[in-house]
């Protein structure tokens, strides 16, 4: 592959699976993390074990200056950013009537504003290179809405709008912008859910199981590849059929 990748929020979960999948295809991978330095170092070690360069940068992408600094660090280390994967995200679930204003703001700032800041920071180097791939990790919650997740659903729906607008804006320079929308995926967060809730989520999924982080990473790897050169402005649902458009 010989490409340089930046994954935001890449030390654990879906982000880590994406980082390892792209490293396995021959990419050098940089990723941001917020606070878990031990997890970040472990992920760098796994990337390097695949024979590629790995770089962990502590950065909170909800701060536009931190997002700029993150991209500069990757450009200094690797010389280019061929692929950006906007994965960083948080949840602050609650019903609308109980949701604190700061829980609304925090989720929007990380999940949507952070993706915009990272995208904005890579735009100039990608335009100069006359090519690039941007993959935004949205969610079925952004397509269908989810009770108790007004903030998260709004941010992820906004990310779909950002994907389509950016795809139109950057297409003339051979930069594609797509999104991947995972359904219910087995991560550290979902493993701790009560068994009755897990059963309900599985029951709502036509394929009758949780997805894996690797299955989400496979979709990202495809969109980042040469095989996806004529695909832009699309949302690929990796949800076991949870959302189906008529």
């Amino acid at each position: 592959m010989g490409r340089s990748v930046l994954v935001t929020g890449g030390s654990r979960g879906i982000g880590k699976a994406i980082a390892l999948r792209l490293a396995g295809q021959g990419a050098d991978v940089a990723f941001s993390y917020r606070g878990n330095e031990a997890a970040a170092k472990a992920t760098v070690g796994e990337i390097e074990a695949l024979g590629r360069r790995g770089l962990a940068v502590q950065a909170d992408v909800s701060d536009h200056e931190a997002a700029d600094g993150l991209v500069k660090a990757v450009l200094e280390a690797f010389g280019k950013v061929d692929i950006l994967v906007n994965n960083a995200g948080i949840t602050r679930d609650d019903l609308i009537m109980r949701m604190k204003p700061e829980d609304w703001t925090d989720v929007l700032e990380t999940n949507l504003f952070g993706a915009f800041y990272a995208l904005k920071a890579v735009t100039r180097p990608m335009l100069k290179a006359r090519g690039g791939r941007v993959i935004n990790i949205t969610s079925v919650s952004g397509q269908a809405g989810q009770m108790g997740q007004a903030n998260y659903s709004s941010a992820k729906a906004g990310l779909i709008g950002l994907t389509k607008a950016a795809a139109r804006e950057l297409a003339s320079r051979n930069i594609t912008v797509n999104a991947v929308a995972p359904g219910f995926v087995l991560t550290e967060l979902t493993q701790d859910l009560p068994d009755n809730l897990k059963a309900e989520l599985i029951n709502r999924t036509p394929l009758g199981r949780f997805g894996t982080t690797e299955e989400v990473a496979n979709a990202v790897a495809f969109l980042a590849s040469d095989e996806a050169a004529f695909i832009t402005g699309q949302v690929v649902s990796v949800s076991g059929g949870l959302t189906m458009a008529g």
Side-chain angles (χ1 to χ4, degrees):
M1 197 183 202
R3 291 180 180 169
S4 164
V5 178
L6 169 58
V7 181
T8 66
S11 62
R12 295 180 295 167
I14 289 172
K16 178 178 178 177
I18 292 167
L20 295 178
R21 180 74 167 81
L22 294 175
Q25 285 190 207
D28 294 324
V29 182
F31 62 90
S32 69
Y33 69 100
R34 272 182 113 165
N36 192 331
E37 189 177 352
K41 283 182 175 176
T43 301
V44 167
E46 290 183 56
I47 291 166
E48 291 174 344
L50 293 166
R52 305 310 307 175
R53 289 183 292 172
L55 174 70
V57 181
Q58 186 168 18
D60 181 351
V61 292
S62 68
D63 176 341
H64 71 91
E65 290 181 352
D68 286 345
L70 169 64
V71 171
K72 280 178 186 164
V74 180
L75 290 171
E76 283 171 15
F78 296 160
K80 56 180 184 166
V81 179
D82 299 304
I83 300 158
L84 168 66
V85 183
N86 275 314
N87 169 74
I90 61 170
T91 55
R92 298 282 187 273
D93 296 353
D94 212 339
L95 297 174
I96 290 168
M97 63 182 287
R98 290 206 302 250
M99 188 175 287
K100 296 173 186 170
E102 57 267 30
D103 288 344
W104 167 267
T105 304
D106 287 352
V107 169
L108 267 290
E109 285 183 346
T110 296
N111 298 19
L112 180 57
F113 292 22
F116 169 75
Y117 296 147
L119 170 63
K120 181 177 170 63
V122 301
T123 298
R124 196 178 299 278
M126 282 189 178
L127 288 171
K128 276 187 182 173
R130 293 188 167 269
R133 296 274 191 275
V134 178
I135 299 119
N136 296 320
I137 306 302
T138 179
S139 168
V140 294
S141 296
Q143 296 174 300
Q146 186 69 25
M147 193 173 80
Q149 286 195 323
N151 48 7
Y152 186 79
S153 296
S154 296
K156 293 300 191 178
L159 203 47
I160 292 171
L162 176 63
T163 297
K164 293 175 183 289
R168 291 188 185 277
E169 205 169 301
L170 301 173
S172 65
R173 292 295 182 96
N174 197 36
I175 300 166
T176 67
V177 187
N178 292 289
V180 171
F184 301 118
V185 174
L186 273 178
T187 64
E188 292 163 7
L189 289 174
T190 51
Q191 278 171 350
D192 294 334
L193 291 172
D195 288 341
N196 63 329
L197 181 54
K198 282 185 189 171
E200 183 193 328
L201 298 178
I202 288 169
N203 192 47
R204 284 168 56 190
T205 304
L207 285 180
R209 64 173 177 86
F210 279 90
T212 67
T213 56
E214 289 76 18
E215 286 169 326
V216 178
N218 288 341
V220 172
F222 168 66
L223 291 171
S225 73
D226 292 339
E227 284 84 354
F230 200 55
I231 300 172
T232 197
Q234 303 305 306
V235 181
V236 178
S237 180
V238 184
S239 66
L242 193 63
T243 54
M244 298 191 194

